[in-house]
Amino acid sequence: MTYSASLSAVIDTLATLLLHSLWQGALIGLLYALSLLYLRNAAPRARYGAALVALLALALAPALTGLAMALSASVPSVFSSPSPGELARSWAPVWGDAGQLGPLWVALWLAGVITLSIRVLWNWRRAQRLTHLGCHALSPAWETRLEVLARQLGVRRSVRLVESVLVSVPTVIGWLKPVILLPSSAMLGLNQRQLELIVAHELAHIARYDYVINYVLVTVETLWFHHPVVYLIGRGIRHERELCCDDLVISRCGSRFEYVSALTDIETLRSRHLLNEPLSNLAATGGDLLYRIRRIVKGDAPPSRSGGITAT
């Protein structure tokens, strides 16, 4: 097979996968929407689980389609074995009638993936720089409080806690060596109890491996940017994970009203010192903050099973 023929086969295969992604994404989105309707009164972790299943389905759909195409190619034909390009076109006959539509769509899709990948890498690099630039170590007393909070939330890996002049909200960056950034405005504007609860929220993200899930989410959003359902699922994951973290903090670390006070005050400080934050980080003010506060005040979050943070 010549290079030209090989390239044509690859383009036809990608075009076929993109064509099938339309109905596959629509089906996954419909099933996800139905699951949300069924789980509307369930705990956030149930809806979060449904969103993760939908995300996994999006990630696996092209691979399963490609596997099905490969298996059909391995079945012997009575007359002849189709070439890869012919096989792809047999799975998507619309391309034969649409002329250059398939190659054009592939070109636009690749341009979008490359553009979004550059943006993701730039944000990742910027987030990594935040863990070194403008950071200041906290007092040894804070290290003790961090250790106690980590034990309460089930975090076993080492976590670094620093003060940063470059972020406007508390933020966790990284997974293998996570770093929690506390903005200088929060150190000055919040009391110790509020700061502990905000740090606990960031530790909850670490305990739940949200940063790893975020990598997967961003990857799927980059590859499936052409389909609206990926944004529906992504919004669901980001919203429900904040509710899950809220529940975890309240159930293990203290009063719901103290927690609401901390969220409200940190949002007030953020609005006064608004900066452009990287899109890849996990912050305490993520999701629909007003909805989160109303939910906690109404008592929808689980009751505290702890007497509070015991660090001194």
Side-chain angles (χ1 to χ4, degrees):
M1 182 182 296
T2 65
Y3 174 79
S4 177
S6 300
L7 180 60
S8 177
V10 170
I11 292 175
D12 287 339
T13 300
L14 287 175
T16 301
L17 295 179
L18 287 172
L19 174 65
H20 284 285
S21 73
L22 296 180
W23 69 265
Q24 290 168 345
L27 178 60
I28 292 170
L30 175 62
L31 294 176
Y32 174 58
L34 291 175
S35 72
L36 291 183
L37 184 63
Y38 178 76
L39 298 170
R40 62 186 180 278
N41 296 321
R45 63 179 179 271
R47 295 189 296 273
Y48 182 76
L52 290 185
V53 170
L55 182 70
L56 180 63
L58 284 181
L60 293 179
L64 293 178
T65 302
L67 178 61
M69 293 172 61
L71 291 176
S72 65
S74 64
V75 177
S77 172
V78 175
F79 302 100
S80 62
S81 298
S83 67
E86 292 172 340
L87 177 64
R89 284 187 290 272
S90 71
W91 275 69
V94 69
W95 302 129
D97 299 329
Q100 297 299 315
L101 180 59
L104 176 60
W105 195 7
V106 170
L108 293 175
W109 175 78
L110 284 175
V113 169
I114 292 172
T115 301
L116 291 176
S117 297
I118 293 173
R119 181 188 179 191
V120 168
L121 290 174
W122 185 84
N123 281 327
W124 176 84
R125 177 57 180 165
R126 186 178 174 210
Q128 295 304 309
R129 293 184 63 189
L130 286 176
T131 63
H132 303 288
L133 298 178
C135 293
H136 308 284
L138 299 180
S139 66
W142 264 110
E143 294 298 325
T144 302
R145 297 187 189 104
L146 182 64
E147 291 176 3
V148 173
L149 285 169
R151 285 198 300 269
Q152 287 182 285
L153 292 164
V155 177
R156 294 178 175 83
R157 69 176 67 90
S158 176
V159 180
R160 188 161 63 101
L161 179 64
V162 298
E163 178 184 350
S164 173
V165 299
L166 297 179
V167 298
S168 59
V169 292
T171 304
V172 60
I173 296 176
W175 172 55
L176 294 176
K177 296 180 179 180
V179 180
I180 296 177
L181 308 177
L182 285 179
S184 298
S185 59
M187 297 296 297
L188 296 174
L190 301 182
N191 61 44
Q192 178 178 307
R193 177 62 169 164
Q194 290 175 321
L195 284 172
E196 289 173 341
L197 290 171
I198 292 299
V199 171
H201 180 95
E202 303 308 323
L203 286 170
H205 280 301
I206 297 173
R208 289 169 30 82
Y209 300 95
D210 284 342
Y211 210 85
V212 179
I213 299 299
N214 206 54
Y215 280 135
V216 178
L217 173 59
V218 171
T219 300
V220 175
E221 285 179 330
T222 299
L223 296 176
W224 278 78
F225 76 92
H226 61 283
H227 206 298
V229 74
V230 74
Y231 303 104
L232 171 67
I233 296 172
R235 185 175 64 177
I237 289 176
R238 292 181 173 92
H239 177 70
E240 300 299 339
R241 76 183 176 198
E242 297 302 327
L243 301 186
C244 289
C245 288
D246 290 342
D247 290 353
L248 189 58
V249 172
I250 292 171
S251 65
R252 298 189 183 184
C253 297
S255 165
R256 68 179 69 238
F257 296 106
E258 289 179 319
Y259 186 56
V260 165
S261 174
L263 290 177
T264 303
D265 287 353
I266 196 66
E267 173 61 17
T268 300
L269 292 171
R270 185 196 70 85
S271 62
R272 292 176 181 172
H273 305 277
L274 187 60
L275 296 175
N276 293 323
E277 303 292 347
L279 298 178
S280 59
N281 59 23
L282 302 171
T285 55
D288 187 339
L289 184 60
L290 182 59
Y291 173 85
R292 290 166 57 193
I293 291 174
R294 287 176 175 172
R295 173 178 176 269
I296 296 171
V297 172
K298 285 171 57 181
D300 293 338
S304 173
R305 299 195 302 269
S306 169
I309 301 170
T310 57
T312 58

